[in-house]
Amino acid sequence: MRVVYLGPSDFSRWDQLVASHPAGSAYYHRLWLRVLERAFPCEAFCLGCEDTTGQLQGILPLCWTSGWLSGSWLCSLPHTPFAGALTTCVEAELALVRAAVDLVHERPGAWLQLRPPFQTNFPLPELVEHPAMCTHTLRLPSRPSELRFGSRRNHHCVKTAFRKAANLGVRVQRAETQQDLRRWYRLYLETMRAHAAAPLPYSFFVAVWELMVPAGLAWLLLAQKAAAGNHGVIAGTLYFGFGSTMLAVKTGRSFKWLALRPNEALHWSAIHEACESGFRYYDFGESPDENQGLARFKSKWGAEARRLYRYGSSTSRDVKRIAGSWRSGPIHRLAAGLWRAMPLTATQFAGAWIYRHV
């Protein structure tokens, strides 16, 4: 096995590997790396692993980034639930991970974090396992008519909620202009403020809109109601689709209109679209352990919860400890209360600063 840097001449075989791999998704696509580079202060690149015949047997997308809290670190990938090595064999995975470890050793004080889609037993003492959030994934049948959402009772509840949304005038359609994106972004800010979480900067979504949407890798579904104001947008979800998986990436919604069941309308429409398009999996995204309500909402669709893990060099344990203490205790509760009291515009600027410097 030989590890190489992948460049423009490798784009075709890079795309082919991701598209054909059972765990392939848009998070491994080269355009996702360009989005990260444009929206955040990072240096993105991709390692490839070739066999003796020159055939590509695996890839490992990586980003160098830094912050005053985290220091200098190499990650696969930042602002991404899972990435890690995507390979056809264990030998290729081990070669790529060892190459990443070697890159970190070349920068004193730097550390490594890998975010594979599945729990992995790396035979490397440099890597320490850290549990992260759970993601919820629904396995899709070959035809939309075969879709079943969990138990018979859950399937009936989901179908009833979708019909209720439709009867109340909720319609789902794709965003067509960047103005649609801007309207949805305000709902995203409202949602993130309610969860006391830092919102991604608007520049991130513009990068997705300009790079991934034209390539057919991303789209924004909007739930609209004519009498709802703000041009009728009451909820929306950003989706990525490539390889075997459609990903629900970010959601924004107006809490005023939740009784109309726009979330059920969005997921129902997206899941049927995913099935019709030949995707094998529908990923509902991550759920914080403390938000059991969100986990139950995703589980009722028949989605299977899967614990994600981070694998970091030993120096990253201090960062994990700091992050863990920040997410719990009186300091976190005080900060969450203050965050929820901030104007939306203030949370937007604060979130942009956090993602750029922390």
Side-chain angles (χ1 to χ4, degrees), residues 240-317:
F240 290 173
F242 189 72
S244 62
T245 305
M246 180 186 286
L247 303 154
V249 180
K250 297 296 176 184
T251 294
R253 56 191 179 275
S254 170
F255 289 86
K256 175 182 177 182
W257 300 98
L258 286 183
L260 301 185
R261 314 305 285 272
N263 293 329
E264 281 85 349
L266 286 166
H267 285 297
W268 177 281
S269 300
I271 290 171
H272 280 77
E273 181 178 340
C275 196
E276 291 172 356
S277 300
F279 290 104
R280 296 176 56 193
Y281 303 97
Y282 180 89
D283 194 311
F284 283 83
E286 295 174 294
S287 299
D289 290 345
E290 61 272 17
N291 193 341
Q292 290 302 305
L294 180 59
R296 286 193 296 270
F297 173 82
K298 296 175 180 180
S299 296
K300 78 175 182 180
W301 295 81
E304 179 182 351
R306 184 179 79 251
R307 175 69 63 183
L308 297 175
Y309 291 86
R310 307 289 188 247
Y311 296 86
S313 49
S314 58
T315 54
S316 69
R317 284 180 290 184

Side-chain angles (χ1 to χ4, degrees), residues 6 18 22 33 37 65 76 96 104 123 131 182 192 218 232 238 289 294 301-302 310 315 326 352:
L6 299 183
V18 177
L33 296 185
E37 278 196 313
T65 187
S76 178
L96 288 166
V104 171
R182 170 62 77 175
M192 297 300 285
L238 176 66
D289 290 345
L294 180 59
W301 295 81
R310 307 289 188 247
T315 54
W326 173 250

Side-chain angles (χ1 to χ4, degrees), residues 185-225:
Y185 184 69
R186 184 170 180 84
L187 298 182
Y188 167 73
L189 291 177
E190 179 182 340
T191 303
M192 297 300 285
R193 182 178 65 178
H195 293 310
L200 287 162
Y202 184 63
S203 59
F204 163 80
F205 296 102
V206 172
V208 170
W209 186 267
E210 294 179 351
L211 294 174
M212 297 182 69
V213 170
L217 300 173
W219 54 94
L220 176 62
L221 285 186
L222 301 176
Q224 297 179 297
K225 180 174 173 57

Side-chain angles (χ1 to χ4, degrees), residues 44-214:
F45 60 96
C46 188
L47 299 179
C49 187
E50 300 175 335
D51 60 21
T52 55
T53 66
Q55 294 295 313
L56 189 64
Q57 299 297 331
I59 60 170
L60 178 58
L62 292 161
C63 276
W64 278 111
T65 187
S66 63
W68 63 265
L69 175 64
S70 59
S72 176
W73 58 304
L74 182 64
C75 182
S76 178
L77 285 166
H79 315 297
T80 308
F82 54 84
L86 190 71
T87 64
T88 61
C89 60
V90 175
E91 293 80 7
E93 180 181 38
L94 190 57
L96 288 166
V97 172
R98 280 177 172 162
V101 170
D102 290 341
L103 288 174
V104 171
H105 286 164
E106 295 173 1
R107 295 196 183 187
W111 57 282
L112 172 68
Q113 187 185 82
L114 301 176
R115 304 179 175 187
F118 302 100
Q119 188 174 15
T120 306
N121 183 24
F122 292 115
L124 298 172
E126 297 94 335
L127 298 180
V128 179
E129 183 180 273
H130 306 281
M133 296 184 191
C134 285
T135 188
H136 293 73
T137 306
L138 175 67
R139 184 185 294 271
L140 301 175
S142 57
R143 291 175 294 188
S145 60
E146 298 173 353
L147 279 168
R148 292 295 180 271
F149 301 118
S151 66
R152 183 176 181 180
R153 179 177 181 275
N154 282 355
H155 182 83
H156 175 74
C157 290
V158 167
K159 192 172 183 178
T160 300
F162 170 74
R163 287 177 173 173
K164 177 181 179 181
N167 291 336
L168 292 173
V170 176
R171 298 292 180 266
V172 174
Q173 64 182 47
R174 289 197 182 195
E176 298 180 350
T177 67
Q178 195 165 320
Q179 187 62 33
D180 290 334
L181 178 68
R182 170 62 77 175
R183 296 188 185 106
W184 169 82
Y185 184 69
R186 184 170 180 84
L187 298 182
Y188 167 73
L189 291 177
E190 179 182 340
T191 303
M192 297 300 285
R193 182 178 65 178
H195 293 310
L200 287 162
Y202 184 63
S203 59
F204 163 80
F205 296 102
V206 172
V208 170
W209 186 267
E210 294 179 351
L211 294 174
M212 297 182 69
V213 170

